[in-house]
Amino acid sequence: MVEKEVIVYRDKEEGFRPNGYVDLQYRYYGDTEGQDDAFSSVNNETKGNGHWNADNNYSRLQLQGKINMTEKQALEYRVRNYNNLSGDDAKHTSNDTETRLRYFYNHGNLGDSKVNLTSRLEYKDVIDPANQQHVEYQARFNFSEYMFNSDFVKTTDFTVAPKYRYVWGSGNNDNYDNQIGADLYTMHELPWGFSFEFNVYATQHFYGQDQFFDAGEKMDDKNFTVDVEAYIYNITNLYTNGNVTVDFNFEGGYDAYSWSQEKKFGAPRGDENSKYYEEYVKANPEGKGVGTENAKYSVYALPTIQLNYQATPNVLLYAAAGAEYRNWAVTSENSASNWRWQPTVFAGFKTTF
């Protein structure tokens, strides 16, 4: 008997490969319902012509995606380009670009616990008259493994994130805002295609310049704010045929409820008899005044019908139409009202790699 040598070949273990996705979307927003109608306000009546919602008849081209560069590092990006389609800058959004970048580093679990620690560094330039930008660091502790889970409710995210943010304007001066605080991010999966998101942002502000509050009755270089978001989501499949699906999508909720220790919300008021009226006019020659309330909120609902086509295992084409229902004009806590519809359509593609 002759023994033969047996050679065993083992498959080569495949290491980590960078992966992620790219999503390109074009979106159009129409004119808000009743846009030219007058509505009640702190001054009894406000004329229409754009005051319901300052952003109408415009488009948004959005490029967003994520790159998992290593097993521990990831980069998210989102670029939004807004275009005014009406030519009326007085009542519609301006032409501008907003960029947001987020870098993540996953430190892993803390010791023998199930608490994950991830660092997040964010840069964002915000579309506003002050041309503000910010950088922010968060230490994100995810406790989702310790949260309540059942056949009906599953907690997929429960993150507590101490943070520091620095905000500055277009000039190289003392117009800045140092912020420290902590955020809470949660996500829960529910039965029948529903999910629920609840977030809290608690922030202590330290301004480089004194800010005006309560219709100019107060100036201070500090303020404490809390913003709360609560959203319900649902996806219901209406039709499926091969690579084609039609879904009914819904999202809505508080976006957001905001509270400020100092009074700054509500209809702006400029009273010549207020304590710091002259200082306000000097600092804001074209300003309309300062609010007199501590809180405001916006509640919305956005139903859409979406058509999806899975062109390849890695490429999804989609298009959707719907309308957003929101209290665009009056958001102060004591007088929020006048919810109106704004139609929207969008289309795009998403590819994974």
Side-chain angles (χ1 to χ4, degrees), residues 4 13 35 43 94 111 124 130 144 168 175 212 227 229 263 318 329 340 348-349:
K4 294 183 179 180
E13 294 184 6
Q35 188 66 16
N43 297 318
S94 60
K124 184 178 181 180
S144 61
W168 72 96
N175 183 22
F212 297 92
D227 299 291
E229 298 171 341
K263 297 179 179 180
Y318 61 88
R340 292 295 186 272
F349 73 90

Side-chain angles (χ1 to χ4, degrees), residues 243-270:
N243 294 336
V244 177
T245 61
V246 177
D247 296 330
F248 171 76
N249 300 328
F250 175 85
E251 64 175 81
Y254 279 90
D255 185 40
Y257 178 92
S258 300
W259 177 86
S260 170
Q261 182 178 14
E262 304 294 346
K263 297 179 179 180
K264 67 173 186 175
F265 299 126
R269 300 190 185 188

